[in-house]
Structure formats: C-alpha cells, structure tokens
C-alpha cells in the first residue's frame, strides 16, 4: 500500500492560499503572484490537486470582451478538509515552518 | 505548412548527405539536427498561416507545449484542458517579460507531467522484438554485410513507424515522441546486447570475421571481438542515424491524424462551470 506523500511547502502554500477564500474562485496567475511562485511550480500543483479531487475548476462565464475566459480554481470539500489538516499540523509544529519562507500575500481587494 | 516542412526537411537532408561526403562530422550534425529543428520551428509557427502572425514568442511557446502535450484546439475539443487554461491566463498578462516568464513555466507544467508507463512498455516491446529478430538474422548467417546493415537501417523505419503510429492512434504528439525516443534508447540497449552476444558466438565459429560488417579483421580474443562490436562510437553512430526518425514519424502522424492543423490561440469560449 502506498503511503501518502508529505506535501511540499509549495503545495501547502497553494492549498492554504486557496483556503483563505474557500467559496471564491482564484485564477492561476493570481496565485503565482500572491505566493511569489512561478507558473511552472503552481500549475503542476493545481493539476495534481484537480486529479486528486481536491480542486474544483470552472471556466469564467462572462469574460470581458477582448480576452478569453479564464480557468478558475477553488478547493473542493475534500480540499478544504485537507487544508484544515495542514493548518492543524502547522499549528502543532510552529517551530518547523512548513511553508519554508513562502509568504501568502492577500488576494487583490482582500483585507489583511 | 506540411509542404513547407517536408520541403525543408528533404532539402536539409540532401544538404547533409552531400556534406557527409566531404565533411562527415558536419554532415552528421546537420543530419541529426534537421528534423528536430524543423519540427520545433513548425510548431512554433503554427497558426501563422491562418492570420495569427501577431502572436508573440510567449504565446507560441505555450501553444507548442499544449500541442506537444496532446491537446486540441478548443473548438475541436469539447473539454479544453490545461493548455487552454494556460493560454487563457497568458492572454491576461500584458508585460512582455512577465509573459515570457509565465510561458516558460506553463511549458514546463504542460510537458513535465509524469511519463506514461505505456510508453515505456511499448518501447521495451519494440526493443525485445528487434533484439530477437536481430539474433535470428545473426544465427541464420552474417552474409557479406554483417549485422550493421540491419542494425543501422531497419530501426530507422521501425522508429519512424513507432512515432507515427503512437501519435496517430493516441492523438498525442507528446506520446508519440516519448515512445519513439524511448524506443530508440531501449533498441540501442538491445542492439548492444545482441551484438555483444553474437560477437562472442561468431568468434568461436570464425575468429577473423567482424559481426558488424562481415569483414576479415582477425581478433585475438573473444573480449576483443565483443569490444569491437559494442564500441561506444559504433553505438553513437547508430543513435545519430536513428534519432531523427521518431520525431519525423510523430510529426507526420500529428499532421496526418486527428491532431489540429492550427492552433490559433482563441481559447476564449466560455463553457461554464466544469467543476469536477
């Protein structure tokens, strides 16, 4: 039986960033900017989370004219539970920061 | 575009053949680089013929990566994938440097997904089949030309077919390329093993004969015969001759099959929520 792999600091950061606004949709570039991570890091994480059923995806239904609809992301119920577990684990081990220096900036328009 | 690509490849192969007569190394390098360069150039320029010449490098890179990952155009694909998502996201970024950085990351994300076990199994099956066939040919007799006539040219056709058929059957250029390249590597291992075994076998029967070309060489030991047949330069020459063919097969399979003939980057038809 395969043991579940410990999530990387980048995966934890993406999950917690999405968990900051569990009912709202985020897009990939916004996540990259909030976390200071590259697209080559964030998108593979989003792909894996979606494959595991921890992420819901949707296409923007009413994009502004002149640009295509964006792909949007938010945590599924399972993803939210996973985020809660990650938060609890981080709280239980405050001396060992699981984010390894990754700072989650607030989403645009979101108060600190 | 297909005619242009074909003409480019044929022309460059002809130049490399002429060069090989006078400057073998230069000719060999041109020969090896022709097809990969032509394929990459062709994919980076997809869509231009359809009036999308204004696309920048970033968009070309993401589009090419999406095609290599086996995705289709949104109009042809009822469920746009990650390539469409990344192209749509790129369209919202206006700063050129940011676009290039995002495109590079997007290409890494699209092409870096885990390799298919299917590719590896198919490549292994191709190598075992060729190795078995080569062994049979050798045991039937070396003939005047030795085994190199078989090991050099038959895999070219075989690897072309692997690239073509895998791309055509799956609709994924990436799958065809992956399987073709893996098949080249596994076949090289099979060739090395069989040449080594057969060099030892033929040394016992005819010590003066080289299994490679059937010439009279005169080895003084089994070890010398095996090392001659499996010399790294010999194996490298095989790889040089084989390497263009899986890429060419995959490229032609992509264009002849179900793959899109253009990628115009118009990803923006809203499909509504597709929550999984």
């Amino acid at each position: 039986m395969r043991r579940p792999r410990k999530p990387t600091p980048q995966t934890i950061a993406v999950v917690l960033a999405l968990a900051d606004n569990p009912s709202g949709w985020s897009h990939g570039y916004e996540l990259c900017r909030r976390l200071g991570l590259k697209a080559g890091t964030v998108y593979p994480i989003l792909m894996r989370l979606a494959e595991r059923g921890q992420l819901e995806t949707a296409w923007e239904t009413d994009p502004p004219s002149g640009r295509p609809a964006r792909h949007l992301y938010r945590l599924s119920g399972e993803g939210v539970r996973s985020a809660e577990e990650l938060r609890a684990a981080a709280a239980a081990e405050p001396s060992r920061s699981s984010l390894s220096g990754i700072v989650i900036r607030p989403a645009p328009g979101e108060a600190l | 575009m297909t005619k242009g690509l074909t003409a480019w490849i044929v022309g460059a192969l002809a130049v490399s053949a002429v060069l090989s007569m006078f400057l073998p190394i230069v000719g060999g390098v041109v020969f090896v680089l022709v097809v990969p360069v032509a394929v990459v150039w062709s994919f980076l320029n997809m869509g231009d013929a359809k009036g999308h010449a204004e696309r920048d490098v970033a968009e070309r890179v993401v589009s090419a990566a999406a095609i290599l990952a086996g995705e289709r155009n949104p109009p042809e694909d009822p469920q746009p994938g990650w390539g469409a998502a990344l192209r749509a996201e790129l369209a919202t970024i206006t700063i050129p440097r940011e676009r290039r950085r995002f495109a590079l990351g997007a290409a890494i994300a699209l092409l870096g997904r885990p390799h298919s076990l299917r590719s590896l199994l198919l490549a292994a099956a191709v190598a075992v089949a060729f190795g078995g066939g080569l062994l049979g040919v050798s045991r039937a007799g070396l003939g005047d030309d030795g085994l190199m006539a078989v090991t050099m040219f038959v895999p070219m056709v075989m690897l072309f077919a692997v690239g073509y058929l895998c791309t055509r059957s799956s609709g994924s250029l990436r799958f065809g390329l992956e399987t073709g390249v893996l098949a080249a590597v596994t076949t090289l291992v099979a060739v090395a093993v069989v040449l080594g075994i057969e060099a030892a076998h033929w040394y016992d029967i005819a010590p003066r004969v080289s299994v490679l070309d059937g010439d009279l060489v005169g080895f003084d030991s089994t070890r010398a015969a095996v090392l001659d047949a499996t010399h790294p330069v010999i194996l490298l020459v095989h790889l040089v001759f084989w390497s263009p063919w899986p890429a060419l097969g995959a490229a032609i399979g992509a264009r002849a099959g179900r793959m899109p003939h253009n990628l115009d980057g118009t990803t923006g038809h809203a499909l509504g929520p597709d929550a999984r």
Side-chain angles (χ1 to χ4, degrees), chain A residues 27-29 38-40 43-44 46-47 50 56-61 63 67-71 73, chain B residues 80 82 84-86 88-89 91-93 98 101-102 105 109 113 267-268 270 272-276:
Chain A
H27 52 80
Y29 185 54
K38 293 176 179 169
Y43 274 92
L46 294 173
M47 291 170 187
E56 292 178 357
T57 67
W59 289 93
E60 205 175 24
T61 49
R67 77 157 173 78
R70 287 171 126 168
H71 209 213
Y73 314 100
Chain B
W82 288 99
L86 284 157
E89 202 64 43
T92 67
I93 305 170
E98 275 294 293
R101 285 184 60 186
F102 184 86
R113 284 182 270 182
T267 57
D274 60 350
R276 296 170 199 191

Side-chain angles (χ1 to χ4, degrees), chain B residues 148 153 251:
Chain B
M148 213 154 138
F153 299 106

Side-chain angles (χ1 to χ4, degrees), chain B residues 176-246:
Chain B
L177 275 175
E178 263 182 19
T179 311
V181 170
L182 276 174
V185 173
T186 54
T187 302
L188 190 69
V189 173
V191 164
V193 169
V194 173
L195 284 179
I197 291 169
E198 290 308 283
H201 170 75
W202 281 101
Y203 180 79
D204 290 339
I205 298 168
R208 292 168 59 83
V209 175
S210 164
V211 289
L212 290 176
D213 51 18
D215 284 353
L216 296 176
V217 179
F219 300 112
D220 56 9
S221 67
T222 305
R223 186 169 180 272
V226 171
L227 287 178
D228 178 74
T230 58
H231 195 282
V233 172
I234 297 290
L235 298 178
L236 186 65
V237 168
H238 280 86
L239 207 55
V240 164
F241 272 83
W242 297 351
S243 56
W245 301 101

Side-chain angles (χ1 to χ4, degrees), chain B residues 5-96:
Chain B
L5 175 65
T6 308
W8 204 93
I9 290 173
V10 169
L13 287 175
V15 168
S16 73
V18 173
L19 274 175
S20 298
M21 288 185 233
F22 306 103
L23 301 164
I25 294 176
V26 177
V29 169
V30 172
F31 183 83
V32 171
L33 293 179
V34 162
V35 173
V37 168
V39 170
V40 169
W41 181 255
S42 165
F43 278 103
L44 288 179
N45 285 290
M46 268 189 173
D48 284 1
K50 302 284 182 185
H52 294 275
E54 74 280 3
R55 298 188 317 154
D56 65 358
V57 172
E59 195 173 340
R60 288 168 195 266
V61 166
V62 178
S63 297
I67 289 184
L68 284 169
E71 294 192 15
R72 304 176 189 195
N73 276 337
E76 297 173 36
D77 193 344
Q79 284 230 306
W82 288 99
L86 284 157
R87 286 197 300 270
E89 202 64 43
L90 178 68
T92 67
I93 305 170
T94 53
I95 303 167

Side-chain angles (χ1 to χ4, degrees), chain A residues 3 9 18-20 29 35 37 47 55 64 85 88 98 103 110:
Chain A
R3 284 171 54 195
L18 289 165
D20 282 348
Y29 185 54
L35 300 171
L37 297 173
M47 291 170 187
L55 192 72
E85 287 170 14
S98 54
V103 177
E110 183 185 309

Side-chain angles (χ1 to χ4, degrees), chain A residues 3-61:
Chain A
R3 284 171 54 195
R5 284 171 58 186
K6 191 180 172 190
T8 62
Q10 290 82 4
T11 300
I12 294 171
V14 169
V15 170
L16 294 184
L18 289 165
D20 282 348
N21 184 14
S23 59
W25 294 95
S26 301
H27 52 80
Y29 185 54
E30 172 201 329
L31 284 170
C32 295
R33 295 188 60 148
R34 282 181 66 192
L35 300 171
L37 297 173
K38 293 176 179 169
T41 302
V42 170
Y43 274 92
I45 292 170
L46 294 173
M47 291 170 187
R48 278 198 298 274
L49 291 174
E51 280 170 10
R52 293 175 192 162
Q54 296 181 346
L55 192 72
E56 292 178 357
T57 67
W59 289 93
E60 205 175 24
T61 49

Side-chain angles (χ1 to χ4, degrees), chain B residues 158-174:
Chain B
M158 191 180 76
L159 295 171
F160 176 90
V162 169
Y164 178 86
L165 292 173
C166 287
T167 303
R168 190 83 195 264
S169 62
S170 66
S172 164
L173 178 66
R174 179 170 174 259

